[in-house]
Each structure stands twice: as structure tokens, then as C-alpha cells.
């Protein structure tokens, strides 16, 4: 059985309340926006995601990022996992991402995490995203037990859980 119902239609545009920003599925064509966002916040992102995903490596190239985004785009189309870019109104800058994945560890039916670029950490946009994501998942996604990595469980505790079968 798939982790999503066969008739599930994923959201394609999600406004972030009280901002001019929105979420939409990331695409290979977003590399020119994604690469500077990721690499500009790389040290902090490595502290968060490095132990679990070995990402983003210090030596990640533009081409490696493009290949990664193409993989995400294909996974989204196949409903295997989802990466939503946080974009400004004109889609001239990626300011973060939201990941919605099938569970790698026992105890949930989806694993969700997100980040914003360094300049937005601790500010209004991050606070709005922190409120939005769990509400959006509850309202628009078919999960009964989503797990919010780095939020309702630490990354260290998540890594210690047994792998999902």
C-alpha cells in the first residue's frame, strides 16, 4: 500500500498567512534560487540536517543541487515525497523549504520538517511558517500521525528510533 491514497492531490500553492510568501512544489528550474538559499545558510542547515541526511555538504556544487532538485521534482510527481519551496510573491527568491516524507522511522505515517534562510531565523516569517505547517498538514494531507522532526522530536531521538519496515 502506498503511503498516500491513490486519489490524493497534493497542494500546489499554499499562502503563508500574514506574509506575501507562499509554498509550492520545488522544481529543477528553481536551482538558481535554491542554491544561494541553501549555501547561504549551509552551516546552520548542516547542524540540523547533516547527521540525518549528510546535507548540505560544504562542497555541494550548483550541478549537484540541480540534480537533487530534479530528483525532488520527480518524487513529487510520483507522490513518493514532497519538497515545497518557500518563495516570495514574484518567485525571485527561495527563503526556505518544507519536506513531507514517508516515515523512515517507526511511529508515524509521515515525517515533516522545514527551514528558513539564516536572515529569517527567529523572525515573523519563521514564526508564521511554524504555525502554518502543522495546521496545513492537518487540514490538507491524509495523515493520522505526522511527526515533526526537530519540533515534536529531536533529530537525535528520531535517529535513535528503529527504521520503519
Amino acid at each position: 500500500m502506498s503511503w498516500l491514497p491513490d486519489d490524493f492531490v497534493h497542494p500546489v500553492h499554499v499562502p503563508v498567512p500574514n506574509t506575501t510568501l507562499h509554498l509550492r512544489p520545488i522544481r529543477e528550474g528553481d536551482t538558481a534560487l535554491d542554491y544561494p538559499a541553501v549555501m547561504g545558510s549551509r552551516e546552520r542547515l548542516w547542524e540540523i540536517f547533516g547527521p540525518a541526511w549528510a546535507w548540505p555538504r560544504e562542497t555541494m556544487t550548483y550541478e549537484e543541487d540541480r540534480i537533487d532538485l530534479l530528483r525532488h521534482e520527480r518524487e513529487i510527481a510520483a507522490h513518493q515525497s514532497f519538497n515545497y519551496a518557500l518563495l516570495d510573491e514574484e518567485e525571485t527568491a527561495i527563503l526556505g523549504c518544507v519536506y513531507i516524507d514517508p516515515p523512515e522511522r517507526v511511529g508515524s505515517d509521515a515525517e515533516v520538517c522545514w527551514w528558513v534562510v539564516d536572515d529569517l531565523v527567529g523572525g515573523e516569517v519563521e514564526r508564521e511558517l511554524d504555525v502554518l505547517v502543522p495546521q496545513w498538514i492537518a487540514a490538507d494531507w491524509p495523515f493520522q500521525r505526522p511527526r515533526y522532526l526537530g519540533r515534536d522530536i529531536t533529530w537525535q531521538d528520531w535517529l535513535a528510533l528503529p527504521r520503519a519496515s
Side-chain angles (χ1 to χ4, degrees):
M1 182 175 126
S2 172
W3 74 299
L4 293 169
D6 290 340
D7 62 349
F8 178 72
V9 177
H10 66 273
V12 296
H13 186 273
V14 181
V16 178
N18 304 310
T19 75
T20 59
L21 307 179
H22 64 276
L23 297 169
R24 74 144 165 81
I26 204 161
R27 304 185 282 251
E28 176 189 12
D30 293 327
T31 306
L33 305 177
D34 185 67
Y35 188 74
V38 169
M39 296 310 279
S41 300
R42 196 207 69 79
E43 287 184 26
R44 183 177 55 83
L45 294 177
W46 180 263
E47 289 177 12
I48 298 167
F49 301 108
W53 297 347
W55 178 89
R57 291 182 301 94
E58 186 175 7
T59 58
M60 184 175 75
T61 66
Y62 184 92
E63 179 63 9
E64 289 169 331
D65 191 41
R66 185 193 67 74
I67 291 167
D68 196 37
L69 294 190
L70 176 59
R71 176 182 58 83
H72 284 302
E73 185 174 0
R74 289 176 175 161
E75 289 172 345
I76 292 164
H79 279 191
Q80 294 170 333
S81 70
F82 297 86
N83 177 347
Y84 281 81
L86 175 64
L87 294 144
D88 63 345
E89 195 169 18
E90 299 80 24
E91 296 198 355
T92 60
I94 287 181
L95 302 169
C97 285
V98 177
Y99 306 96
I100 305 165
D101 297 311
E104 286 184 37
R105 307 290 173 166
V106 299
S108 71
D109 57 357
E111 293 172 344
V112 182
C113 59
W114 60 95
W115 59 271
V116 296
V117 294
D118 285 356
D119 288 348
L120 299 179
V121 171
E124 179 184 346
V125 168
E126 185 179 45
R127 286 190 295 275
E128 291 293 339
L129 197 61
D130 289 351
V131 170
L132 169 67
V133 172
Q135 292 175 348
W136 172 49
I137 296 298
D140 294 345
W141 292 80
F143 306 126
Q144 300 301 310
R145 295 172 295 131
R147 179 180 287 138
Y148 299 98
L149 304 179
R151 312 290 171 158
D152 63 3
I153 186 172
T154 67
W155 283 91
Q156 184 176 4
D157 287 346
W158 176 77
L159 284 169
L161 291 172
R163 290 199 170 273
S165 52

